[in-house]
Amino acid sequence: MKSFQIVLIFLFSQGLMAQFYIKSEPFVHTYSIVARDSLTGDMAVAVQSHWFSVGSVVTYGRAGVGVVATQSLVNPSYGPKGLALMEQGLTPEQALNGLLENDPGAMFRQVAFLNHKGIVATHTGSQCIDEAGHKQGRNFSVQANMMLNNTVWDAMAQAFQTTRGHLSYRVLAALKAAENEKGDIRGKQSAAILMVKGEATGNIWEDVSMDLRVEDHEDPLHELERLIKMHDAYNYMNKGDLAMEEGNSDKAENLYLQAQNLFPDNLEMTYWYAINLLNNKDYSKAFPILKSIFNQDKNWKTLTGRLVNSKLLIIPKERLEEVMAL
């Protein structure tokens, strides 16, 4: 059975057959990337556009299934429908072709599908506004339309393939490479990144590893980069909280310190590092840190007393009195 026939059967069975092209659909002309980390299996979709809240209409993902970017004269239904089809076992090419064949506005679409195996399928419609194009590679596809220059997608592919490190920074490098080629002919406004795990955990709150949006900003990629760094820091904080809850104060201290190193001016990160110094009886190191925090905001001192009642701070009474006197 041909792929589009399979898609039709699925769409009818799920009640998903409907007119695809609606004239009121947003003109989200943009550049984006779908990508997979070959080591971890994590998948990401990231985007930047001169359009408000681009992430709310372009980026879609599901752990264990894949990610989708749908843009140009965007049809948001390609996101959930594409993911549903890939979850049913269709390849990205089968899923994308089936949707395109039943979309009277296909010539205006630019869409990229990537599944949990790293297989990609991409479509740039004949009526997408120049400069428009895409480039595929192992575990990724980059696509762009309404660009100032036709060098954007090649530059994005090169940046993704040559950048090392966490997947979030590799896809960010691709977006920055697009901007270095002058990007969207209209300028810039919003950006987003969505990351999901290669295998579903069964707990939807654990399946999304990153979901960040810059809705409206004069330099959205710079702000997105800041948020990614902040996200990493708070990941250390969350792991530190868990270690603290488990009573492993040595592990918690190390995790809080890693968070603090990323954002040394963040009072909360510094505070929890100092609290774990107290738990580890390293009072000479903790006291000056806490004194500096209390001088900036006395509410942290009030919180410190409450931590004793919650047994998150284990400290002799006389030492607690010293802390409260700082």
Side-chain angles (χ1 to χ4, degrees), residues 3-49:
S3 64
F4 76 91
Q5 292 175 314
I6 298 173
V7 175
L8 282 174
I9 292 172
F10 175 80
L11 292 176
F12 277 118
S13 69
Q14 300 296 315
L16 296 176
M17 277 299 292
Q19 178 69 17
F20 275 55
Y21 176 63
I22 303 173
K23 290 184 179 180
S24 62
E25 288 166 351
F27 292 87
V28 186
H29 303 283
T30 188
Y31 53 80
S32 67
I33 178 171
V34 293
R36 175 179 175 270
D37 188 312
S38 60
L39 297 179
T40 67
D42 287 351
M43 298 171 288
V45 51
V47 61
Q48 195 282 149
S49 179

Short mmCIF file of all heavy atoms in Angstrom, two decimals, residues 3-49:
data_model
loop_
_atom_site.label_atom_id
_atom_site.label_comp_id
_atom_site.label_asym_id
_atom_site.label_seq_id
_atom_site.Cartn_x
_atom_site.Cartn_y
_atom_site.Cartn_z
N SER A 3 2.31 5.00 0.62
CA SER A 3 2.35 5.73 1.89
C SER A 3 1.18 6.68 2.04
O SER A 3 0.61 6.81 3.12
CB SER A 3 3.68 6.49 2.01
OG SER A 3 3.77 7.48 1.00
N PHE A 4 0.78 7.36 0.95
CA PHE A 4 -0.30 8.33 1.11
C PHE A 4 -1.63 7.65 1.39
O PHE A 4 -2.50 8.21 2.05
CB PHE A 4 -0.40 9.25 -0.12
CG PHE A 4 -1.03 8.63 -1.35
CD1 PHE A 4 -2.40 8.71 -1.56
CD2 PHE A 4 -0.25 7.98 -2.28
CE1 PHE A 4 -2.97 8.15 -2.68
CE2 PHE A 4 -0.82 7.41 -3.41
CZ PHE A 4 -2.19 7.49 -3.62
N GLN A 5 -1.79 6.38 0.90
CA GLN A 5 -3.00 5.64 1.21
C GLN A 5 -3.04 5.28 2.70
O GLN A 5 -4.10 5.34 3.34
CB GLN A 5 -3.07 4.38 0.35
CG GLN A 5 -3.28 4.66 -1.13
CD GLN A 5 -3.22 3.40 -1.97
OE1 GLN A 5 -2.32 2.59 -1.79
NE2 GLN A 5 -4.17 3.25 -2.87
N ILE A 6 -1.89 4.90 3.23
CA ILE A 6 -1.79 4.61 4.66
C ILE A 6 -2.17 5.84 5.47
O ILE A 6 -2.92 5.78 6.44
CB ILE A 6 -0.37 4.15 5.03
CG1 ILE A 6 -0.03 2.85 4.29
CG2 ILE A 6 -0.23 3.94 6.53
CD1 ILE A 6 1.41 2.42 4.47
N VAL A 7 -1.66 6.99 5.04
CA VAL A 7 -1.94 8.24 5.74
C VAL A 7 -3.43 8.56 5.68
O VAL A 7 -4.04 8.96 6.68
CB VAL A 7 -1.12 9.40 5.14
CG1 VAL A 7 -1.52 10.71 5.80
CG2 VAL A 7 0.37 9.14 5.34
N LEU A 8 -4.04 8.39 4.51
CA LEU A 8 -5.46 8.68 4.37
C LEU A 8 -6.29 7.83 5.31
O LEU A 8 -7.22 8.31 5.97
CB LEU A 8 -5.90 8.46 2.93
CG LEU A 8 -5.56 9.57 1.93
CD1 LEU A 8 -5.94 9.14 0.53
CD2 LEU A 8 -6.26 10.86 2.29
N ILE A 9 -5.97 6.52 5.37
CA ILE A 9 -6.69 5.62 6.26
C ILE A 9 -6.57 6.09 7.70
O ILE A 9 -7.54 6.15 8.46
CB ILE A 9 -6.18 4.18 6.12
CG1 ILE A 9 -6.56 3.63 4.73
CG2 ILE A 9 -6.76 3.28 7.21
CD1 ILE A 9 -5.93 2.29 4.42
N PHE A 10 -5.35 6.47 8.09
CA PHE A 10 -5.13 6.93 9.47
C PHE A 10 -5.91 8.21 9.75
O PHE A 10 -6.56 8.35 10.78
CB PHE A 10 -3.63 7.17 9.71
CG PHE A 10 -3.34 7.75 11.06
CD1 PHE A 10 -3.31 6.94 12.19
CD2 PHE A 10 -3.12 9.11 11.21
CE1 PHE A 10 -3.07 7.49 13.44
CE2 PHE A 10 -2.87 9.65 12.46
CZ PHE A 10 -2.85 8.82 13.56
N LEU A 11 -5.86 9.14 8.79
CA LEU A 11 -6.54 10.41 9.01
C LEU A 11 -8.04 10.23 9.14
O LEU A 11 -8.69 10.84 9.99
CB LEU A 11 -6.21 11.38 7.86
CG LEU A 11 -4.76 11.87 7.78
CD1 LEU A 11 -4.56 12.72 6.55
CD2 LEU A 11 -4.37 12.64 9.02
N PHE A 12 -8.61 9.40 8.26
CA PHE A 12 -10.04 9.15 8.36
C PHE A 12 -10.40 8.47 9.68
O PHE A 12 -11.37 8.81 10.34
CB PHE A 12 -10.51 8.27 7.19
CG PHE A 12 -10.78 9.05 5.93
CD1 PHE A 12 -10.06 8.80 4.78
CD2 PHE A 12 -11.75 10.05 5.90
CE1 PHE A 12 -10.31 9.52 3.62
CE2 PHE A 12 -12.02 10.76 4.74
CZ PHE A 12 -11.29 10.50 3.59
N SER A 13 -9.55 7.50 10.09
CA SER A 13 -9.85 6.74 11.31
C SER A 13 -9.77 7.61 12.54
O SER A 13 -10.43 7.36 13.54
CB SER A 13 -8.89 5.55 11.45
OG SER A 13 -7.57 6.01 11.73
N GLN A 14 -8.92 8.65 12.49
CA GLN A 14 -8.74 9.51 13.64
C GLN A 14 -9.58 10.80 13.55
O GLN A 14 -9.50 11.66 14.41
CB GLN A 14 -7.26 9.90 13.78
CG GLN A 14 -6.33 8.72 13.98
CD GLN A 14 -6.61 8.00 15.27
OE1 GLN A 14 -6.79 8.62 16.31
NE2 GLN A 14 -6.66 6.67 15.21
N GLY A 15 -10.36 10.91 12.47
CA GLY A 15 -11.16 12.12 12.31
C GLY A 15 -10.32 13.34 12.03
O GLY A 15 -10.70 14.46 12.37
N LEU A 16 -9.16 13.14 11.37
CA LEU A 16 -8.24 14.25 11.18
C LEU A 16 -8.32 14.87 9.79
O LEU A 16 -7.61 15.81 9.49
CB LEU A 16 -6.79 13.78 11.42
CG LEU A 16 -6.49 13.33 12.84
CD1 LEU A 16 -5.07 12.80 12.91
CD2 LEU A 16 -6.68 14.46 13.82
N MET A 17 -9.16 14.31 8.89
CA MET A 17 -9.27 14.88 7.56
C MET A 17 -10.05 16.19 7.65
O MET A 17 -11.18 16.25 8.10
CB MET A 17 -9.99 13.91 6.62
CG MET A 17 -9.06 12.85 6.03
SD MET A 17 -7.74 13.56 5.04
CE MET A 17 -8.66 14.21 3.68
N ALA A 18 -9.41 17.25 7.25
CA ALA A 18 -10.05 18.56 7.27
C ALA A 18 -9.32 19.44 6.28
O ALA A 18 -8.21 19.12 5.86
CB ALA A 18 -9.99 19.18 8.67
N GLN A 19 -9.94 20.54 5.89
CA GLN A 19 -9.27 21.48 5.00
C GLN A 19 -7.99 21.98 5.68
O GLN A 19 -8.01 22.47 6.79
CB GLN A 19 -10.20 22.66 4.70
CG GLN A 19 -9.59 23.73 3.82
CD GLN A 19 -9.38 23.24 2.40
OE1 GLN A 19 -9.94 22.25 2.00
NE2 GLN A 19 -8.56 23.96 1.65
N PHE A 20 -6.86 21.83 4.98
CA PHE A 20 -5.58 22.18 5.57
C PHE A 20 -5.26 23.67 5.46
O PHE A 20 -4.71 24.25 6.35
CB PHE A 20 -4.46 21.39 4.89
CG PHE A 20 -4.24 20.03 5.47
CD1 PHE A 20 -5.28 19.12 5.56
CD2 PHE A 20 -3.00 19.65 5.93
CE1 PHE A 20 -5.09 17.87 6.08
CE2 PHE A 20 -2.80 18.39 6.46
CZ PHE A 20 -3.84 17.50 6.53
N TYR A 21 -5.57 24.26 4.34
CA TYR A 21 -5.14 25.63 4.08
C TYR A 21 -6.18 26.63 4.54
O TYR A 21 -7.32 26.60 4.09
CB TYR A 21 -4.84 25.81 2.59
CG TYR A 21 -4.47 27.21 2.22
CD1 TYR A 21 -3.32 27.80 2.72
CD2 TYR A 21 -5.27 27.96 1.37
CE1 TYR A 21 -2.96 29.09 2.37
CE2 TYR A 21 -4.93 29.25 1.02
CZ TYR A 21 -3.78 29.80 1.52
OH TYR A 21 -3.43 31.08 1.19
N ILE A 22 -5.81 27.49 5.42
CA ILE A 22 -6.70 28.54 5.91
C ILE A 22 -6.00 29.87 5.69
O ILE A 22 -4.85 30.06 6.10
CB ILE A 22 -7.00 28.35 7.41
CG1 ILE A 22 -7.63 26.97 7.64
CG2 ILE A 22 -7.93 29.44 7.92
CD1 ILE A 22 -7.80 26.62 9.10
N LYS A 23 -6.67 30.80 5.04
CA LYS A 23 -6.01 32.05 4.65
C LYS A 23 -5.54 32.86 5.84
O LYS A 23 -4.66 33.71 5.72
CB LYS A 23 -6.96 32.88 3.79
CG LYS A 23 -7.19 32.28 2.40
CD LYS A 23 -8.07 33.18 1.55
CE LYS A 23 -8.26 32.57 0.16
NZ LYS A 23 -9.12 33.42 -0.70
N SER A 24 -6.13 32.61 7.00
CA SER A 24 -5.74 33.37 8.18
C SER A 24 -4.50 32.80 8.87
O SER A 24 -4.07 33.32 9.89
CB SER A 24 -6.89 33.40 9.19
OG SER A 24 -7.20 32.08 9.63
N GLU A 25 -3.93 31.72 8.32
CA GLU A 25 -2.75 31.13 8.95
C GLU A 25 -1.60 32.12 8.95
O GLU A 25 -1.42 32.89 8.00
CB GLU A 25 -2.37 29.84 8.21
CG GLU A 25 -3.34 28.70 8.47
CD GLU A 25 -3.18 27.53 7.51
OE1 GLU A 25 -2.45 27.67 6.54
OE2 GLU A 25 -3.82 26.51 7.77
N PRO A 26 -0.78 32.12 10.00
CA PRO A 26 0.25 33.15 10.14
C PRO A 26 1.39 33.00 9.14
O PRO A 26 1.73 31.91 8.71
CB PRO A 26 0.77 32.94 11.58
CG PRO A 26 0.43 31.52 11.89
CD PRO A 26 -0.85 31.23 11.16
N PHE A 27 1.97 34.14 8.76
CA PHE A 27 3.09 34.17 7.84
C PHE A 27 4.40 34.06 8.64
O PHE A 27 5.14 35.03 8.78
CB PHE A 27 3.08 35.47 7.04
CG PHE A 27 1.94 35.58 6.08
CD1 PHE A 27 0.71 36.09 6.50
CD2 PHE A 27 2.07 35.18 4.76
CE1 PHE A 27 -0.35 36.21 5.61
CE2 PHE A 27 1.01 35.29 3.87
CZ PHE A 27 -0.20 35.80 4.29
N VAL A 28 4.66 32.87 9.15
CA VAL A 28 5.86 32.69 9.96
C VAL A 28 7.02 32.28 9.06
O VAL A 28 7.43 31.13 9.02
CB VAL A 28 5.62 31.66 11.09
CG1 VAL A 28 6.83 31.60 12.00
CG2 VAL A 28 4.40 32.05 11.90
N HIS A 29 7.51 33.25 8.29
CA HIS A 29 8.69 33.01 7.45
C HIS A 29 9.91 33.08 8.37
O HIS A 29 10.05 34.02 9.16
CB HIS A 29 8.75 34.06 6.35
CG HIS A 29 7.51 34.07 5.51
ND1 HIS A 29 7.26 33.13 4.54
CD2 HIS A 29 6.44 34.89 5.53
CE1 HIS A 29 6.09 33.38 3.97
NE2 HIS A 29 5.57 34.45 4.56
N THR A 30 10.81 32.12 8.22
CA THR A 30 11.77 31.94 9.30
C THR A 30 12.89 30.99 8.90
O THR A 30 12.93 30.48 7.78
CB THR A 30 11.03 31.38 10.54
OG1 THR A 30 11.91 31.37 11.63
CG2 THR A 30 10.52 29.97 10.29
N TYR A 31 13.79 30.71 9.85
CA TYR A 31 14.75 29.62 9.68
C TYR A 31 14.71 28.73 10.93
O TYR A 31 14.44 29.20 12.03
CB TYR A 31 16.17 30.12 9.42
CG TYR A 31 16.74 31.11 10.41
CD1 TYR A 31 17.27 30.70 11.63
CD2 TYR A 31 16.78 32.47 10.11
CE1 TYR A 31 17.81 31.60 12.52
CE2 TYR A 31 17.32 33.39 10.99
CZ TYR A 31 17.84 32.95 12.19
OH TYR A 31 18.38 33.85 13.08
N SER A 32 14.93 27.44 10.71
CA SER A 32 14.80 26.48 11.82
C SER A 32 15.69 25.28 11.58
O SER A 32 16.26 25.09 10.50
CB SER A 32 13.34 26.01 11.95
OG SER A 32 12.96 25.24 10.82
N ILE A 33 15.78 24.45 12.61
CA ILE A 33 16.55 23.21 12.55
C ILE A 33 15.82 22.13 13.34
O ILE A 33 15.26 22.41 14.40
CB ILE A 33 17.99 23.39 13.08
CG1 ILE A 33 18.77 22.06 13.05
CG2 ILE A 33 18.01 24.02 14.47
CD1 ILE A 33 20.26 22.21 13.36
N VAL A 34 15.80 20.92 12.80
CA VAL A 34 15.41 19.73 13.57
C VAL A 34 16.65 18.86 13.63
O VAL A 34 17.37 18.71 12.64
CB VAL A 34 14.22 18.97 12.92
CG1 VAL A 34 12.96 19.80 12.99
CG2 VAL A 34 14.52 18.57 11.48
N ALA A 35 16.93 18.29 14.80
CA ALA A 35 18.20 17.57 14.95
C ALA A 35 18.11 16.53 16.06
O ALA A 35 17.27 16.62 16.96
CB ALA A 35 19.33 18.55 15.26
N ARG A 36 19.01 15.56 15.97
CA ARG A 36 19.09 14.48 16.95
C ARG A 36 20.53 14.32 17.40
O ARG A 36 21.46 14.40 16.59
CB ARG A 36 18.59 13.17 16.35
CG ARG A 36 18.75 11.93 17.24
CD ARG A 36 18.20 10.70 16.55
NE ARG A 36 18.44 9.49 17.31
CZ ARG A 36 19.53 8.72 17.18
NH1 ARG A 36 20.48 9.06 16.30
NH2 ARG A 36 19.67 7.63 17.90
N ASP A 37 20.72 14.09 18.70
CA ASP A 37 22.03 13.78 19.25
C ASP A 37 22.26 12.28 19.11
O ASP A 37 21.54 11.48 19.71
CB ASP A 37 22.11 14.20 20.72
CG ASP A 37 23.51 14.09 21.29
OD1 ASP A 37 24.14 13.04 21.10
OD2 ASP A 37 23.95 15.03 21.96
N SER A 38 23.25 11.89 18.34
CA SER A 38 23.48 10.47 18.08
C SER A 38 23.94 9.71 19.30
O SER A 38 23.82 8.48 19.35
CB SER A 38 24.50 10.30 16.95
OG SER A 38 25.74 10.90 17.30
N LEU A 39 24.46 10.40 20.31
CA LEU A 39 24.94 9.73 21.52
C LEU A 39 23.83 9.54 22.55
O LEU A 39 23.67 8.45 23.12
CB LEU A 39 26.09 10.53 22.14
CG LEU A 39 27.36 10.66 21.29
CD1 LEU A 39 28.40 11.50 22.01
CD2 LEU A 39 27.93 9.28 20.97
N THR A 40 23.05 10.57 22.79
CA THR A 40 22.00 10.49 23.81
C THR A 40 20.64 10.11 23.24
O THR A 40 19.77 9.65 23.98
CB THR A 40 21.85 11.84 24.54
OG1 THR A 40 21.36 12.82 23.61
CG2 THR A 40 23.20 12.31 25.10
N GLY A 41 20.44 10.33 21.95
CA GLY A 41 19.13 10.10 21.35
C GLY A 41 18.18 11.26 21.50
O GLY A 41 17.08 11.25 20.93
N ASP A 42 18.57 12.29 22.27
CA ASP A 42 17.71 13.47 22.43
C ASP A 42 17.46 14.13 21.07
O ASP A 42 18.32 14.11 20.18
CB ASP A 42 18.36 14.49 23.37
CG ASP A 42 18.32 14.06 24.81
OD1 ASP A 42 17.65 13.06 25.11
OD2 ASP A 42 18.98 14.73 25.65
N MET A 43 16.28 14.72 20.93
CA MET A 43 15.91 15.40 19.69
C MET A 43 15.54 16.85 19.99
O MET A 43 15.00 17.15 21.05
CB MET A 43 14.74 14.68 19.03
CG MET A 43 15.04 13.24 18.63
SD MET A 43 13.56 12.34 18.10
CE MET A 43 12.71 12.11 19.68
N ALA A 44 15.82 17.74 19.04
CA ALA A 44 15.56 19.16 19.25
C ALA A 44 14.99 19.78 17.99
O ALA A 44 15.30 19.36 16.87
CB ALA A 44 16.83 19.88 19.66
N VAL A 45 14.17 20.80 18.19
CA VAL A 45 13.73 21.68 17.12
C VAL A 45 13.90 23.10 17.64
O VAL A 45 13.48 23.42 18.75
CB VAL A 45 12.28 21.38 16.68
CG1 VAL A 45 11.33 21.34 17.88
CG2 VAL A 45 11.80 22.40 15.66
N ALA A 46 14.54 23.94 16.83
CA ALA A 46 14.80 25.32 17.25
C ALA A 46 14.54 26.25 16.08
O ALA A 46 14.69 25.87 14.91
CB ALA A 46 16.24 25.47 17.73
N VAL A 47 14.18 27.51 16.39
CA VAL A 47 13.70 28.41 15.35
C VAL A 47 13.93 29.85 15.77
O VAL A 47 13.99 30.18 16.96
CB VAL A 47 12.18 28.17 15.10
CG1 VAL A 47 11.37 28.42 16.37
CG2 VAL A 47 11.66 29.00 13.95
N GLN A 48 14.07 30.74 14.76
CA GLN A 48 14.09 32.19 14.97
C GLN A 48 13.34 32.83 13.83
O GLN A 48 13.39 32.36 12.70
CB GLN A 48 15.52 32.72 15.02
CG GLN A 48 15.65 34.14 15.57
CD GLN A 48 15.29 35.27 14.59
OE1 GLN A 48 14.82 36.33 15.00
NE2 GLN A 48 15.48 35.06 13.29
N SER A 49 12.60 33.90 14.12
CA SER A 49 11.81 34.56 13.09
C SER A 49 11.52 36.01 13.46
O SER A 49 11.58 36.38 14.63
CB SER A 49 10.47 33.83 12.90
OG SER A 49 9.67 34.47 11.92
#
